[in-house]
Each structure stands twice: as C-alpha cells, then as structure tokens.
Amino acid sequence: MTASAYSQVFISSKEYNSKNIYSARRKAFMKKLDSVCLVAGMPIDPGSEEAFVQTWNKMIQEPAFLYLTGINQAGCYLLLNPKTMEETLFVPRKNPFKEFWNGKRLGYLDDDNEVARITGIKDVRPVDEIWETVQDIAAKLAKRTPDERFIYAYYFEKFKEDHNDHFKNQLQRAIKGSGVKIRSAADIHWKLRLPLEKQRIQDAEKAQDITDKAFRTVLANMSKLKNERQLGLLLDYEMQKNSDGDLAFPTIVASGANACCLHYVKKDEPLKAGELCLLDFGIRWNSLHSDISRTIPVGGKFNPLQKMLYEIVLDSQVEYQKFVKPGVSLREIGMVPWEFIMKALDERLVKGAKGKFKLLYDVRPHGVSHFIGEQIHEGDPGSRSLDVVLEPGMLISCEPGLYGEFEATINGKHYKEKIGIRIEDDLLITKNGFRNISVSIPKTVKDLESLIK
C-alpha cells in the first residue's frame, strides 16, 4: 500500500521527504528532554459520540502530535525516551470494517510493518498496551532519585479541561502510587515548533500564492456576485482547487455592518454597491497556512469616508511593522497599531473632516498578531505565547482593524456608516527584521479599485 492511500491520515509532501522532517523534529525534541515523554493524539474521531454529526466533521489532530508524527488519526500515542533515543508509536488495532466505512487507517497488525514504513517509526505497538507500558516505565523511574522521578507529558499548566488536560489526568491515574510526578513538556515543545523549518516556510509561501490567485479571481468577478455566500463559495473554490483541499479556517465574508462582527458566520446577506465587504480567508498547504484579511468596495470604488478609514488601517500596518524584528515579544509591541489608529482618527476624521465616531470597543478590539504554524492561531492557548521573543523563522500575522460608526462631511457631501475594516498580512521574521510573504496580495485602494471590474 502506498503512502498516498493514507493522504488524509499521514500528512506528507511531494516536495520533500516528510518522514525525515518528522524524525528530525522528534530527535530535536528528545535532545531537550531529560526523562521519558508521552504525547497523545486526539482520543476519538470527531462526532463519534454523536453519530448523527460524524459525517459533518473532519479529523483535526492535536497539533503537537501532528507536528511530531504527521499522523492525522484519532486514538494514537507517541512515547519518546531521550536516554536511548527510542520512539514508540501506539496505534489502534487494524479494523477492516471501519475502513469499509471511512477509508484506510493506520492500524496495528501482527507481523506487519505497514505503519512503521509509512511513518518512519520502527517500534509500533497496539494502543491497548499503552498504559501497561507506562506503568512499567513508572516502576523503573520510581527507583531513581526524587529529582529524577518524573515523566513528561504534553499538556498546558494554565489551560484546563481540554483533551490534553484529560490525558494528563488519565496518565496520573495510570501511575498513581508509583511516586512518579508529571511535568509539562509544552514550553520545551513550543521553543522548537514556533520557528519554521525551510520546508514549512516554502509551504507557507505556496499557500500565499494560492490565496493570491484566488483573491484576484474574486476581484475580477465582483460584478457577478450577488451575496456573501456566492462570494465565499467562489473564494473557497479557487483556493481549494489549487491546494490539497483544506481551508485554513472557515472563510469570513462580512458585508456592510456585518463586518463589525469579528467572527461573522451568517454569510447570506446581499452584497450592496457602496458598501464595504470584509474577507478573512486562507488555505492550507501540507501543514502550513495562509491567513489573510482584505476589505474591498463591493461596487468597485471606496467613497471618501471609506477611503479615509481604510487608509488609516493600512497606515497602522506600516507603523506596526517598524517594530517587528527579532528580540521583541508580541506583547511588547501589541498596542502600537491601536494607538496609531486612535491618533489618526482624531487628526484625519475629527479635526481634518469635522467628523465623529463611536467605536464598538475600547481602543483595542483584538490582538494584532498571532503565530502561524501547525495551527492557524499557533501558540500556548493559555497565553497565545505573547511573551515569546521573536526569532528568525517565526511566522506571525499582522491584522489591525477598525470597527464602529463613523460620520463626516467631505467635499460638501455627508457620509454616515457602520463600518468594519481589517487588513491582514503574514510576516516571516528574518535575521534583521521581517519579510511580508503576503506582499503580492492586492490591498492598496488603487489596486483594489483597478482589479474590481
């Protein structure tokens, strides 16, 4: 059986040797550990507890497990021993009946090396042996000094009640009475995972190219699109037909005042000439993503108030990017664009156009940056890794926005609108600053107006 038969189960690339990359990641991770570590994938298939929703949900693996193995399948565990550099993969036993329904799955069979051949992990065992194996390890660790009597697991200290926390509790029950403690390996993992290898950078750039072409197609067809759904379907189709098929996240298409809802999902309102439409969209290529926001004039031209507000947001991007460089954290520079926007509103709208505004928030509506990697919003869920110092190879978003009610009289004409604007690019941190890998995706007023036919 070829690896392509497991295309949604084992994430691999035609451009490079995926098994080698996953192996290198595991080795680098083990070199940072000083005890055994257990990492759990998602425990069950999505919808398996509620049968009626099963066919509506795709499998999304725990990103840490996916990063280390490439396996996008439920019910698997990875055991790493840094002292011996041994790797053990636990997978469910082969189930032909389930494959009859859902397609090929990595499964344990006696005297069969299929899983080892696909994943590159030589020691493969059935998942029903996981806890007995862990108990044996705990018994050996219990003989060590108190400082050495611990096992690593992947979970977050501050973030509770997720699947990783449940896994930690399950592990705790398995080693109860052994005297062995559990430590989180999450911080060690993040230090390796946030900077992208050159192959993942190439994947991110490929995702940008696909997204760019799709967006340009949408702009060229705006006059034919009647509602948010049609726009979203065209954008999704153009992205998906040139990729491996997965969106980075559900596309947001929010026209008019709908753009003031940050995660608007209704997506069935008519598109009206004279209004703006906010798009938040991206595609996955292998395991990396694009994450782009653009705000476009439905009829092909910004009115003077829209143009003023749009260019304030665009200029805030430029201001923020002056501070993006290695050695700073996202928290340190997080207020730069919001303070710029408030000052620009006062200078350009209030004083310059005798206008007024009412925002739907107090200065800062959302974060301006997040890390991008195996997850579209990468980083520790408890802190979003805002205090992590930027270093070359890290990929972050840059997405200032403006949401509220605005009013002004410009050139003798009065304008009053409820407007939402967001402009988002993806920035790759370099040795001396950053590189905007979204730079080709149109966003200036001139480019957008010229490309909308």
Side-chain angles (χ1 to χ4, degrees):
M1 186 66 65
T2 64
S4 62
Y6 298 91
S7 62
Q8 294 301 311
V9 173
F10 180 71
I11 308 301
S12 60
S13 170
K14 296 177 181 178
E15 285 80 33
Y16 49 81
N17 189 314
S18 301
K19 283 195 297 185
N20 287 352
I21 288 180
Y22 296 128
S23 177
R25 291 172 180 175
R26 292 192 295 272
K27 286 181 171 60
F29 188 37
M30 283 192 281
K31 287 178 180 178
K32 300 290 184 181
L33 301 171
D34 49 3
S35 186
V36 174
C37 180
L38 189 62
V39 182
M42 293 301 294
I44 59 175
D45 287 309
S48 56
E49 291 182 320
E50 303 290 349
F52 68 93
V53 301
Q54 187 168 15
T55 58
W56 291 90
N57 292 271
K58 71 172 185 175
M59 175 64 195
I60 299 178
Q61 183 60 281
E62 158 53 48
F65 190 85
L66 186 68
Y67 173 84
L68 293 168
T69 67
I71 298 173
N72 189 42
Q73 177 179 314
C76 301
Y77 296 83
L78 177 67
L79 181 65
L80 300 173
N81 187 333
K83 291 190 179 298
T84 61
M85 296 300 283
E86 291 177 315
E87 311 167 340
T88 306
L89 177 66
F90 296 85
V91 297
R93 292 183 182 273
K94 198 74 168 173
N95 186 336
F97 182 72
K98 188 171 184 178
E99 290 188 346
F100 171 66
W101 283 94
N102 296 333
K104 289 293 178 184
R105 292 292 184 272
L106 297 173
Y108 180 84
L109 274 176
D110 291 330
D111 302 319
D112 182 271
N113 69 346
E114 176 91 336
V115 177
R117 184 179 63 81
I118 296 295
T119 65
I121 301 175
K122 295 179 181 179
D123 186 5
V124 179
R125 305 182 191 180
V127 74
D128 45 58
E129 294 183 6
I130 178 67
W131 298 118
E132 181 181 351
T133 302
V134 167
Q135 288 167 352
D136 289 343
I137 291 171
K140 294 176 182 177
L141 290 173
K143 298 175 183 179
R144 296 184 179 181
T145 65
D147 289 344
E148 298 177 309
R149 209 173 292 160
F150 70 93
I151 185 171
Y152 282 113
Y154 183 81
Y155 66 93
F156 305 107
E157 296 284 5
K158 296 180 181 179
F159 197 74
K160 303 297 182 183
E161 299 303 324
D162 70 337
H163 56 281
N164 285 308
D165 190 45
H166 296 319
F167 156 63
K168 174 203 169 186
N169 294 334
Q170 191 176 16
L171 177 59
Q172 188 71 66
R173 290 192 293 271
I175 64 174
K176 186 178 181 180
S178 67
V180 174
K181 304 296 183 182
I182 303 174
R183 292 183 187 176
S184 172
D187 287 344
I188 298 171
H189 178 81
W190 284 122
K191 290 177 182 178
L192 294 171
R193 181 167 136 197
L194 288 178
L196 308 182
E197 308 101 330
K198 65 178 182 179
Q199 293 90 348
R200 285 200 296 166
I201 292 172
Q202 292 169 0
D203 287 346
E205 291 173 330
K206 177 66 174 179
Q208 298 288 327
D209 291 341
I210 295 168
T211 307
D212 181 20
K213 291 182 177 67
F215 181 56
R216 289 174 183 271
T217 299
V218 167
L219 295 178
N221 287 277
M222 278 301 295
S223 63
K224 304 174 186 177
L225 304 174
K226 305 303 179 186
N227 55 51
E228 295 167 342
R229 188 170 302 281
Q230 289 181 5
L231 196 164
L233 287 170
L234 177 60
L235 182 54
D236 290 353
Y237 170 72
E238 291 295 329
M239 287 192 292
Q240 289 180 284
K241 77 174 185 179
N242 292 314
S243 74
D244 62 4
D246 278 341
L247 299 174
F249 51 88
T251 299
I252 295 173
V253 183
S255 62
N258 298 330
C260 289
C261 178
L262 297 182
H263 287 170
Y264 175 76
V265 297
K266 188 169 180 286
K267 206 159 69 175
D268 61 3
E269 295 286 342
L271 297 173
K272 298 178 182 178
E275 290 187 340
L276 299 180
C277 184
L278 189 157
L279 308 174
D280 199 337
F281 55 104
I283 195 70
R284 191 191 81 180
W285 182 260
N286 293 325
S287 64
L288 262 289
H289 312 81
S290 56
D291 187 2
I292 302 299
S293 293
R294 294 291 185 262
T295 305
I296 61 176
V298 172
K301 191 170 182 61
F302 292 87
N303 70 38
L305 176 61
Q306 293 168 349
K307 181 175 182 289
M308 176 192 296
L309 299 175
Y310 183 89
E311 291 187 333
I312 286 175
V313 178
L314 198 59
D315 291 344
S316 75
Q317 265 198 331
V318 175
E319 183 66 18
Y320 177 69
Q321 291 170 10
K322 294 176 183 177
F323 298 85
V324 175
K325 59 184 179 181
V328 302
S329 70
L330 297 181
R331 191 182 303 279
E332 286 179 69
I333 59 178
M335 285 304 297
V336 169
W338 310 120
E339 292 171 350
F340 176 91
I341 286 172
M342 295 303 293
K343 183 177 179 181
L345 285 172
D346 182 60
E347 292 176 350
R348 303 184 200 181
L349 178 65
V350 177
K351 295 177 180 176
K354 306 300 181 185
K356 57 184 179 179
F357 64 91
K358 181 180 179 182
L359 300 180
L360 300 176
Y361 51 90
D362 182 17
V363 181
R364 179 183 181 274
H366 50 71
V368 69
S369 287
H370 58 77
F371 290 98
I372 300 172
E374 250 57 28
Q375 302 174 101
I376 193 64
H377 283 193
E378 191 72 294
D380 186 326
S383 66
R384 293 180 55 236
S385 297
L386 293 177
D387 294 312
V388 169
V389 173
L390 296 180
E391 60 181 83
M394 292 179 174
L395 185 63
I396 65 171
S397 67
C398 173
E399 49 182 309
L402 181 59
Y403 317 89
E405 298 173 359
F406 305 90
E407 187 173 355
T409 300
I410 304 174
N411 297 327
K413 186 172 181 179
H414 190 70
Y415 300 91
K416 183 179 181 181
E417 292 184 58
K418 188 174 183 180
I419 291 175
I421 297 169
R422 186 161 62 252
I423 308 170
E424 179 180 17
D425 290 341
D426 300 337
L427 311 180
L428 178 69
I429 307 304
T430 62
K431 182 178 180 181
N432 298 315
F434 70 91
R435 178 163 59 87
N436 185 348
I437 63 173
S438 313
V439 69
S440 66
I441 303 176
K443 66 176 180 180
T444 66
V445 168
K446 180 180 178 181
D447 285 347
L448 293 175
E449 290 184 343
S450 67
L451 289 168
I452 296 177
K453 308 297 183 184

